Amino acid sequence: MADNGTTGGFTIRDARVSDIHAITSIYNEAIRDGISTSDIDERSAEQRREWLERHAPRSRYPVVVVRLNGQTVGFGSLSRYRPRAGYDAIVEISYYIGSYWRGRGAGRLLVSWLLDAAARLGYEKAVSCVCSPNAGSLALMRSFGFTRFGLLPGAIHNAGRTLDVQYWYKELRPVQGVQGEWPAAGRC
């Protein structure tokens, strides 16, 4: 279970089925913005519930929400990088913050939590794909010490726009003596 307490008023906890509507709303806003995901068509709550269920086991692939004053303002996840076992030491991080809350610390807290969780789980590298016009995510990648290792020009075609995708990675230092499962709440 994830529970990192409170930072700047924000809290992070495990995502629940009851969070699906907020997660769907935030993700669909990102789709409409057109610079944070390669999805073009908005997702239904049922599709996002299925996405949540694919993060299994959740002890290896957590999905969390960022909340402030009882409101979900963002969400993030650790996902399997590729389905081949040789890549099992690599994890992909993804995160989405509601537009009103961007630039207010929720994204920074979420990326920090995801990287800490990845290290505790024993992953050696974290990767993230970022659309080139997404200045906020590019700044977060740089501030957390990620290295850009690739650029796929013209990868996304959305509403008459063509976007590049940048690939970023960060070497992680697994926490000594902790590997395999995210610790229970209170052991962060």
Side-chain angles (χ1 to χ4, degrees), residues 137-183:
S137 284
L138 294 173
L140 278 175
M141 294 294 100
R142 288 184 192 100
S143 73
F144 278 98
F146 279 75
T147 300
R148 192 178 97 167
F149 69 93
L151 173 71
L152 186 57
I156 300 171
H157 300 278
N158 185 353
R161 293 178 19 180
T162 301
L163 305 176
D164 299 340
V165 174
Q166 295 186 29
Y167 295 89
W168 294 79
Y169 83 97
K170 179 176 177 65
E171 295 283 344
L172 301 175
R173 301 201 189 292
V175 177
Q176 295 296 325
V178 179
Q179 186 174 2
E181 304 243 338
W182 178 248

Side-chain angles (χ1 to χ4, degrees), residues 74-172:
F75 69 95
S77 63
L78 296 181
S79 303
R80 190 168 190 192
Y81 175 63
R82 296 283 185 264
R84 295 177 184 98
Y87 291 116
D88 282 352
I90 305 171
V91 69
E92 183 171 354
I93 70 166
S94 300
Y95 54 92
Y96 297 89
I97 305 296
S99 62
Y100 178 80
W101 299 101
R102 294 178 196 152
R104 298 172 187 252
R108 177 168 299 284
L109 176 65
L110 188 51
V111 171
S112 177
W113 188 95
L114 291 168
L115 291 173
D116 182 56
R120 287 182 176 274
L121 289 166
Y123 293 109
E124 296 172 8
K125 292 177 178 54
V127 299
S128 189
C129 301
V130 180
C131 299
S132 287
N134 189 335
S137 284
L138 294 173
L140 278 175
M141 294 294 100
R142 288 184 192 100
S143 73
F144 278 98
F146 279 75
T147 300
R148 192 178 97 167
F149 69 93
L151 173 71
L152 186 57
I156 300 171
H157 300 278
N158 185 353
R161 293 178 19 180
T162 301
L163 305 176
D164 299 340
V165 174
Q166 295 186 29
Y167 295 89
W168 294 79
Y169 83 97
K170 179 176 177 65
E171 295 283 344
L172 301 175

